[in-house]
mmCIF file of all heavy atoms in Angstrom:
data_model
loop_
_atom_site.group_PDB
_atom_site.id
_atom_site.type_symbol
_atom_site.label_atom_id
_atom_site.label_comp_id
_atom_site.label_asym_id
_atom_site.label_seq_id
_atom_site.Cartn_x
_atom_site.Cartn_y
_atom_site.Cartn_z
ATOM 1 N N GLU A 244 -40.553 28.499 17.793
ATOM 2 C CA GLU A 244 -40.360 29.754 18.514
ATOM 3 C C GLU A 244 -39.663 29.517 19.856
ATOM 4 O O GLU A 244 -38.697 30.212 20.208
ATOM 5 C CB GLU A 244 -41.704 30.450 18.731
ATOM 6 C CG GLU A 244 -41.575 31.856 19.287
ATOM 7 C CD GLU A 244 -42.889 32.616 19.261
ATOM 8 O OE1 GLU A 244 -43.909 32.054 18.800
ATOM 9 O OE2 GLU A 244 -42.891 33.781 19.700
ATOM 10 N N GLU A 245 -40.135 28.515 20.602
ATOM 11 C CA GLU A 245 -39.510 28.194 21.884
ATOM 12 C C GLU A 245 -38.123 27.599 21.676
ATOM 13 O O GLU A 245 -37.186 27.895 22.435
ATOM 14 C CB GLU A 245 -40.386 27.215 22.667
ATOM 15 C CG GLU A 245 -41.650 27.817 23.228
ATOM 16 C CD GLU A 245 -41.367 28.845 24.317
ATOM 17 O OE1 GLU A 245 -40.500 28.580 25.171
ATOM 18 O OE2 GLU A 245 -42.001 29.922 24.297
ATOM 19 N N ALA A 246 -37.982 26.762 20.662
ATOM 20 C CA ALA A 246 -36.673 26.163 20.376
ATOM 21 C C ALA A 246 -35.632 27.240 20.097
ATOM 22 O O ALA A 246 -34.489 27.162 20.566
ATOM 23 C CB ALA A 246 -36.772 25.213 19.193
ATOM 24 N N LEU A 247 -36.026 28.259 19.355
ATOM 25 C CA LEU A 247 -35.091 29.331 19.000
ATOM 26 C C LEU A 247 -34.608 30.073 20.243
ATOM 27 O O LEU A 247 -33.440 30.489 20.316
ATOM 28 C CB LEU A 247 -35.747 30.297 18.018
ATOM 29 C CG LEU A 247 -34.849 31.405 17.450
ATOM 30 C CD1 LEU A 247 -33.615 30.824 16.777
ATOM 31 C CD2 LEU A 247 -35.644 32.270 16.469
ATOM 32 N N ILE A 248 -35.470 30.231 21.226
ATOM 33 C CA ILE A 248 -35.072 30.879 22.483
ATOM 34 C C ILE A 248 -33.910 30.133 23.118
ATOM 35 O O ILE A 248 -32.919 30.731 23.563
ATOM 36 C CB ILE A 248 -36.268 30.948 23.453
ATOM 37 C CG1 ILE A 248 -37.320 31.934 22.941
ATOM 38 C CG2 ILE A 248 -35.803 31.336 24.859
ATOM 39 C CD1 ILE A 248 -38.611 31.924 23.732
ATOM 40 N N TYR A 249 -34.008 28.804 23.120
ATOM 41 C CA TYR A 249 -32.955 28.012 23.766
ATOM 42 C C TYR A 249 -31.719 27.885 22.888
ATOM 43 O O TYR A 249 -30.593 27.808 23.413
ATOM 44 C CB TYR A 249 -33.512 26.649 24.183
ATOM 45 C CG TYR A 249 -34.385 26.767 25.408
ATOM 46 C CD1 TYR A 249 -35.756 26.959 25.296
ATOM 47 C CD2 TYR A 249 -33.817 26.745 26.681
ATOM 48 C CE1 TYR A 249 -36.555 27.116 26.423
ATOM 49 C CE2 TYR A 249 -34.606 26.893 27.813
ATOM 50 C CZ TYR A 249 -35.966 27.082 27.682
ATOM 51 O OH TYR A 249 -36.737 27.251 28.799
ATOM 52 N N PHE A 250 -31.880 27.883 21.566
ATOM 53 C CA PHE A 250 -30.690 27.904 20.701
ATOM 54 C C PHE A 250 -29.919 29.207 20.896
ATOM 55 O O PHE A 250 -28.687 29.216 20.875
ATOM 56 C CB PHE A 250 -31.085 27.733 19.232
ATOM 57 C CG PHE A 250 -31.338 26.312 18.819
ATOM 58 C CD1 PHE A 250 -32.533 25.956 18.205
ATOM 59 C CD2 PHE A 250 -30.382 25.333 19.036
ATOM 60 C CE1 PHE A 250 -32.763 24.641 17.824
ATOM 61 C CE2 PHE A 250 -30.605 24.006 18.662
ATOM 62 C CZ PHE A 250 -31.807 23.669 18.054
ATOM 63 N N ASN A 251 -30.637 30.297 21.094
ATOM 64 C CA ASN A 251 -29.967 31.578 21.359
ATOM 65 C C ASN A 251 -29.205 31.536 22.677
ATOM 66 O O ASN A 251 -28.132 32.148 22.801
ATOM 67 C CB ASN A 251 -30.987 32.720 21.374
ATOM 68 C CG ASN A 251 -31.388 33.158 19.975
ATOM 69 O OD1 ASN A 251 -30.565 33.164 19.058
ATOM 70 N ND2 ASN A 251 -32.650 33.511 19.793
ATOM 71 N N LYS A 252 -29.738 30.816 23.656
ATOM 72 C CA LYS A 252 -29.023 30.664 24.924
ATOM 73 C C LYS A 252 -27.764 29.822 24.734
ATOM 74 O O LYS A 252 -26.727 30.105 25.351
ATOM 75 C CB LYS A 252 -29.940 30.019 25.969
ATOM 76 C CG LYS A 252 -31.060 30.926 26.442
ATOM 77 C CD LYS A 252 -31.891 30.257 27.523
ATOM 78 C CE LYS A 252 -33.019 31.181 27.992
ATOM 79 N NZ LYS A 252 -33.831 30.567 29.073
ATOM 80 N N VAL A 253 -27.845 28.799 23.896
ATOM 81 C CA VAL A 253 -26.657 27.994 23.588
ATOM 82 C C VAL A 253 -25.575 28.887 22.989
ATOM 83 O O VAL A 253 -24.407 28.829 23.388
ATOM 84 C CB VAL A 253 -26.994 26.851 22.605
ATOM 85 C CG1 VAL A 253 -25.715 26.093 22.209
ATOM 86 C CG2 VAL A 253 -28.002 25.890 23.216
ATOM 87 N N MET A 254 -25.968 29.721 22.047
ATOM 88 C CA MET A 254 -25.023 30.626 21.386
ATOM 89 C C MET A 254 -24.385 31.574 22.396
ATOM 90 O O MET A 254 -23.199 31.907 22.300
ATOM 91 C CB MET A 254 -25.737 31.411 20.287
ATOM 92 C CG MET A 254 -24.812 32.310 19.465
ATOM 93 S SD MET A 254 -25.645 32.992 18.009
ATOM 94 C CE MET A 254 -26.963 33.937 18.783
ATOM 95 N N LYS A 255 -25.158 31.989 23.384
ATOM 96 C CA LYS A 255 -24.659 32.923 24.399
ATOM 97 C C LYS A 255 -23.617 32.275 25.300
ATOM 98 O O LYS A 255 -22.622 32.924 25.692
ATOM 99 C CB LYS A 255 -25.839 33.430 25.238
ATOM 100 C CG LYS A 255 -25.435 34.366 26.367
ATOM 101 C CD LYS A 255 -26.663 34.812 27.164
ATOM 102 C CE LYS A 255 -26.267 35.712 28.339
ATOM 103 N NZ LYS A 255 -27.457 36.123 29.136
ATOM 104 N N TYR A 256 -23.803 31.001 25.631
ATOM 105 C CA TYR A 256 -22.953 30.364 26.636
ATOM 106 C C TYR A 256 -21.885 29.431 26.058
ATOM 107 O O TYR A 256 -21.026 28.963 26.797
ATOM 108 C CB TYR A 256 -23.816 29.578 27.624
ATOM 109 C CG TYR A 256 -24.590 30.477 28.551
ATOM 110 C CD1 TYR A 256 -25.949 30.726 28.346
ATOM 111 C CD2 TYR A 256 -23.974 31.093 29.635
ATOM 112 C CE1 TYR A 256 -26.667 31.565 29.194
ATOM 113 C CE2 TYR A 256 -24.680 31.931 30.487
ATOM 114 C CZ TYR A 256 -26.022 32.160 30.260
ATOM 115 O OH TYR A 256 -26.727 33.002 31.101
ATOM 116 N N ARG A 257 -21.931 29.158 24.771
ATOM 117 C CA ARG A 257 -20.922 28.272 24.174
ATOM 118 C C ARG A 257 -20.080 29.059 23.183
ATOM 119 O O ARG A 257 -20.602 29.661 22.245
ATOM 120 C CB ARG A 257 -21.590 27.087 23.474
ATOM 121 C CG ARG A 257 -20.590 26.098 22.868
ATOM 122 C CD ARG A 257 -21.314 24.926 22.226
ATOM 123 N NE ARG A 257 -21.924 24.074 23.228
ATOM 124 C CZ ARG A 257 -22.758 23.076 22.937
ATOM 125 N NH1 ARG A 257 -23.088 22.841 21.683
ATOM 126 N NH2 ARG A 257 -23.263 22.338 23.902
ATOM 127 N N ASP A 258 -18.767 29.050 23.390
ATOM 128 C CA ASP A 258 -17.867 29.799 22.507
ATOM 129 C C ASP A 258 -17.909 29.261 21.085
ATOM 130 O O ASP A 258 -17.950 30.024 20.123
ATOM 131 C CB ASP A 258 -16.430 29.742 23.049
ATOM 132 C CG ASP A 258 -16.290 30.492 24.368
ATOM 133 O OD1 ASP A 258 -17.075 31.429 24.591
ATOM 134 O OD2 ASP A 258 -15.406 30.130 25.165
ATOM 135 N N ASN A 259 -17.891 27.946 20.959
ATOM 136 C CA ASN A 259 -17.946 27.315 19.634
ATOM 137 C C ASN A 259 -19.207 26.465 19.550
ATOM 138 O O ASN A 259 -19.211 25.296 19.949
ATOM 139 C CB ASN A 259 -16.701 26.448 19.393
ATOM 140 C CG ASN A 259 -15.430 27.277 19.361
ATOM 141 O OD1 ASN A 259 -15.348 28.258 18.640
ATOM 142 N ND2 ASN A 259 -14.444 26.886 20.167
ATOM 143 N N MET A 260 -20.265 27.058 19.050
ATOM 144 C CA MET A 260 -21.558 26.373 18.953
ATOM 145 C C MET A 260 -21.452 25.223 17.959
ATOM 146 O O MET A 260 -20.871 25.357 16.879
ATOM 147 C CB MET A 260 -22.620 27.371 18.484
ATOM 148 C CG MET A 260 -24.034 26.894 18.640
ATOM 149 S SD MET A 260 -25.186 28.262 18.282
ATOM 150 C CE MET A 260 -26.763 27.419 18.442
ATOM 151 N N HIS A 261 -22.013 24.066 18.332
ATOM 152 C CA HIS A 261 -21.923 22.892 17.465
ATOM 153 C C HIS A 261 -22.677 23.126 16.168
ATOM 154 O O HIS A 261 -23.748 23.734 16.154
ATOM 155 C CB HIS A 261 -22.475 21.653 18.180
ATOM 156 C CG HIS A 261 -22.093 20.374 17.525
ATOM 157 N ND1 HIS A 261 -22.783 19.867 16.459
ATOM 158 C CD2 HIS A 261 -21.068 19.514 17.763
ATOM 159 C CE1 HIS A 261 -22.220 18.726 16.069
ATOM 160 N NE2 HIS A 261 -21.178 18.484 16.846
ATOM 161 N N ILE A 262 -22.137 22.603 15.089
ATOM 162 C CA ILE A 262 -22.694 22.883 13.764
ATOM 163 C C ILE A 262 -24.138 22.396 13.627
ATOM 164 O O ILE A 262 -24.957 23.053 12.968
ATOM 165 C CB ILE A 262 -21.799 22.276 12.660
ATOM 166 C CG1 ILE A 262 -22.241 22.812 11.280
ATOM 167 C CG2 ILE A 262 -21.786 20.764 12.722
ATOM 168 C CD1 ILE A 262 -21.278 22.460 10.163
ATOM 169 N N THR A 263 -24.478 21.263 14.248
ATOM 170 C CA THR A 263 -25.864 20.784 14.129
ATOM 171 C C THR A 263 -26.831 21.722 14.846
ATOM 172 O O THR A 263 -27.944 21.959 14.371
ATOM 173 C CB THR A 263 -26.015 19.356 14.679
ATOM 174 O OG1 THR A 263 -25.462 19.290 15.996
ATOM 175 C CG2 THR A 263 -25.310 18.357 13.787
ATOM 176 N N ASP A 264 -26.399 22.267 15.993
ATOM 177 C CA ASP A 264 -27.233 23.256 16.677
ATOM 178 C C ASP A 264 -27.431 24.494 15.805
ATOM 179 O O ASP A 264 -28.525 25.067 15.755
ATOM 180 C CB ASP A 264 -26.596 23.671 18.010
ATOM 181 C CG ASP A 264 -26.825 22.662 19.117
ATOM 182 O OD1 ASP A 264 -27.676 21.771 18.936
ATOM 183 O OD2 ASP A 264 -26.168 22.757 20.166
ATOM 184 N N ILE A 265 -26.374 24.901 15.109
ATOM 185 C CA ILE A 265 -26.466 26.070 14.226
ATOM 186 C C ILE A 265 -27.467 25.807 13.100
ATOM 187 O O ILE A 265 -28.299 26.662 12.761
ATOM 188 C CB ILE A 265 -25.087 26.425 13.638
ATOM 189 C CG1 ILE A 265 -24.137 26.870 14.747
ATOM 190 C CG2 ILE A 265 -25.212 27.510 12.574
ATOM 191 C CD1 ILE A 265 -22.704 27.116 14.284
ATOM 192 N N ILE A 266 -27.410 24.622 12.524
ATOM 193 C CA ILE A 266 -28.305 24.268 11.416
ATOM 194 C C ILE A 266 -29.763 24.247 11.878
ATOM 195 O O ILE A 266 -30.652 24.798 11.217
ATOM 196 C CB ILE A 266 -27.891 22.914 10.808
ATOM 197 C CG1 ILE A 266 -26.560 23.071 10.052
ATOM 198 C CG2 ILE A 266 -28.978 22.371 9.876
ATOM 199 C CD1 ILE A 266 -25.928 21.756 9.656
ATOM 200 N N TYR A 267 -30.012 23.626 13.027
ATOM 201 C CA TYR A 267 -31.385 23.588 13.540
ATOM 202 C C TYR A 267 -31.864 24.970 13.966
ATOM 203 O O TYR A 267 -33.049 25.297 13.831
ATOM 204 C CB TYR A 267 -31.493 22.592 14.693
ATOM 205 C CG TYR A 267 -31.494 21.153 14.245
ATOM 206 C CD1 TYR A 267 -30.482 20.272 14.618
ATOM 207 C CD2 TYR A 267 -32.507 20.665 13.439
ATOM 208 C CE1 TYR A 267 -30.485 18.955 14.189
ATOM 209 C CE2 TYR A 267 -32.531 19.352 13.001
ATOM 210 C CZ TYR A 267 -31.505 18.492 13.391
ATOM 211 O OH TYR A 267 -31.522 17.194 12.953
ATOM 212 N N MET A 268 -30.954 25.775 14.472
ATOM 213 C CA MET A 268 -31.284 27.158 14.822
ATOM 214 C C MET A 268 -31.725 27.919 13.571
ATOM 215 O O MET A 268 -32.739 28.635 13.581
ATOM 216 C CB MET A 268 -30.065 27.830 15.451
ATOM 217 C CG MET A 268 -30.257 29.278 15.827
ATOM 218 S SD MET A 268 -28.704 29.941 16.514
ATOM 219 C CE MET A 268 -29.228 31.589 16.956
ATOM 220 N N ALA A 269 -30.976 27.766 12.487
ATOM 221 C CA ALA A 269 -31.321 28.426 11.229
ATOM 222 C C ALA A 269 -32.662 27.942 10.702
ATOM 223 O O ALA A 269 -33.460 28.726 10.170
ATOM 224 C CB ALA A 269 -30.222 28.176 10.193
ATOM 225 N N ASN A 270 -32.934 26.652 10.871
ATOM 226 C CA ASN A 270 -34.203 26.107 10.416
ATOM 227 C C ASN A 270 -35.374 26.681 11.194
ATOM 228 O O ASN A 270 -36.454 26.923 10.634
ATOM 229 C CB ASN A 270 -34.187 24.581 10.515
ATOM 230 C CG ASN A 270 -35.440 23.941 9.971
ATOM 231 O OD1 ASN A 270 -36.206 23.336 10.698
ATOM 232 N ND2 ASN A 270 -35.673 24.081 8.671
ATOM 233 N N CYS A 271 -35.169 26.927 12.498
ATOM 234 C CA CYS A 271 -36.199 27.612 13.294
ATOM 235 C C CYS A 271 -36.471 28.994 12.715
ATOM 236 O O CYS A 271 -37.637 29.393 12.545
ATOM 237 C CB CYS A 271 -35.749 27.758 14.740
ATOM 238 S SG CYS A 271 -35.729 26.242 15.701
ATOM 239 N N GLN A 272 -35.416 29.730 12.423
ATOM 240 C CA GLN A 272 -35.562 31.070 11.853
ATOM 241 C C GLN A 272 -36.287 31.013 10.516
ATOM 242 O O GLN A 272 -37.128 31.874 10.219
ATOM 243 C CB GLN A 272 -34.178 31.706 11.703
ATOM 244 C CG GLN A 272 -33.493 31.969 13.032
ATOM 245 C CD GLN A 272 -32.024 32.321 12.889
ATOM 246 O OE1 GLN A 272 -31.433 32.172 11.817
ATOM 247 N NE2 GLN A 272 -31.416 32.797 13.966
ATOM 248 N N SER A 273 -35.988 29.994 9.726
ATOM 249 C CA SER A 273 -36.654 29.824 8.431
ATOM 250 C C SER A 273 -38.150 29.571 8.612
ATOM 251 O O SER A 273 -38.980 30.173 7.924
ATOM 252 C CB SER A 273 -36.006 28.665 7.665
ATOM 253 O OG SER A 273 -36.701 28.393 6.472
ATOM 254 N N HIS A 274 -38.504 28.681 9.526
ATOM 255 C CA HIS A 274 -39.913 28.385 9.779
ATOM 256 C C HIS A 274 -40.669 29.618 10.256
ATOM 257 O O HIS A 274 -41.864 29.776 9.947
ATOM 258 C CB HIS A 274 -40.042 27.280 10.828
ATOM 259 C CG HIS A 274 -39.984 25.897 10.267
ATOM 260 N ND1 HIS A 274 -41.063 25.284 9.684
ATOM 261 C CD2 HIS A 274 -38.962 25.004 10.213
ATOM 262 C CE1 HIS A 274 -40.722 24.067 9.285
ATOM 263 N NE2 HIS A 274 -39.457 23.874 9.599
ATOM 264 N N LEU A 275 -39.994 30.466 11.002
ATOM 265 C CA LEU A 275 -40.627 31.660 11.562
ATOM 266 C C LEU A 275 -40.521 32.867 10.628
ATOM 267 O O LEU A 275 -40.928 33.974 10.987
ATOM 268 C CB LEU A 275 -39.978 31.986 12.912
ATOM 269 C CG LEU A 275 -40.152 30.914 14.000
ATOM 270 C CD1 LEU A 275 -39.251 31.219 15.191
ATOM 271 C CD2 LEU A 275 -41.602 30.810 14.431
ATOM 272 N N ASN A 276 -39.966 32.625 9.420
ATOM 273 C CA ASN A 276 -39.781 33.687 8.420
ATOM 274 C C ASN A 276 -38.969 34.858 8.959
ATOM 275 O O ASN A 276 -39.272 36.029 8.709
ATOM 276 C CB ASN A 276 -41.147 34.174 7.900
ATOM 277 C CG ASN A 276 -41.869 33.101 7.098
ATOM 278 O OD1 ASN A 276 -41.270 32.446 6.254
ATOM 279 N ND2 ASN A 276 -43.136 32.912 7.382
ATOM 280 N N LEU A 277 -37.934 34.513 9.729
ATOM 281 C CA LEU A 277 -37.020 35.505 10.257
ATOM 282 C C LEU A 277 -35.759 35.566 9.395
ATOM 283 O O LEU A 277 -35.479 34.649 8.614
ATOM 284 C CB LEU A 277 -36.629 35.153 11.699
ATOM 285 C CG LEU A 277 -37.767 35.078 12.719
ATOM 286 C CD1 LEU A 277 -37.243 34.565 14.058
ATOM 287 C CD2 LEU A 277 -38.429 36.441 12.889
ATOM 288 N N LEU A 278 -34.995 36.619 9.563
ATOM 289 C CA LEU A 278 -33.694 36.711 8.917
ATOM 290 C C LEU A 278 -32.809 35.596 9.458
ATOM 291 O O LEU A 278 -32.763 35.360 10.662
ATOM 292 C CB LEU A 278 -33.069 38.077 9.217
ATOM 293 C CG LEU A 278 -31.651 38.321 8.662
ATOM 294 C CD1 LEU A 278 -31.712 38.471 7.147
ATOM 295 C CD2 LEU A 278 -31.057 39.575 9.295
ATOM 296 N N ILE A 279 -32.118 34.907 8.561
ATOM 297 C CA ILE A 279 -31.202 33.861 9.006
ATOM 298 C C ILE A 279 -29.975 34.530 9.603
ATOM 299 O O ILE A 279 -29.204 35.192 8.912
ATOM 300 C CB ILE A 279 -30.796 32.926 7.848
ATOM 301 C CG1 ILE A 279 -32.033 32.289 7.210
ATOM 302 C CG2 ILE A 279 -29.828 31.854 8.358
ATOM 303 C CD1 ILE A 279 -32.861 31.439 8.139
ATOM 304 N N ASP A 280 -29.812 34.335 10.897
ATOM 305 C CA ASP A 280 -28.735 34.984 11.644
ATOM 306 C C ASP A 280 -28.060 33.937 12.515
ATOM 307 O O ASP A 280 -28.550 33.609 13.601
ATOM 308 C CB ASP A 280 -29.298 36.125 12.494
ATOM 309 C CG ASP A 280 -28.213 36.890 13.239
ATOM 310 O OD1 ASP A 280 -27.032 36.735 12.876
ATOM 311 O OD2 ASP A 280 -28.552 37.616 14.184
ATOM 312 N N ILE A 281 -26.955 33.390 12.037
ATOM 313 C CA ILE A 281 -26.279 32.293 12.735
ATOM 314 C C ILE A 281 -24.793 32.604 12.898
ATOM 315 O O ILE A 281 -24.239 33.438 12.178
ATOM 316 C CB ILE A 281 -26.451 30.963 11.966
ATOM 317 C CG1 ILE A 281 -25.970 31.098 10.510
ATOM 318 C CG2 ILE A 281 -27.894 30.488 12.026
ATOM 319 C CD1 ILE A 281 -26.062 29.813 9.706
#
């Protein structure tokens, strides 16, 4: 949950988010049973 907060901040401030950050962000959403939104 906390990790996802900071991945969302990365997405906000980086024009081209690194693919590994995107993958880990999606995994956070999966663990939290959220819609995968990357």
Side-chain angles (χ1 to χ4, degrees):
E244 189 170 359
E245 288 293 317
L247 185 56
I248 291 172
Y249 285 92
F250 279 126
N251 281 324
K252 290 183 180 181
V253 175
M254 184 170 61
K255 178 181 178 181
Y256 288 102
R257 182 178 290 171
D258 293 333
N259 296 308
M260 193 172 177
H261 195 277
I262 191 170
T263 52
D264 281 347
I265 295 174
I266 290 168
Y267 285 117
M268 178 182 183
N270 184 246
C271 288
Q272 294 168 348
S273 174
H274 274 279
L275 297 169
N276 293 315
L277 300 174
L278 177 71
I279 302 299
D280 183 16
I281 55 178

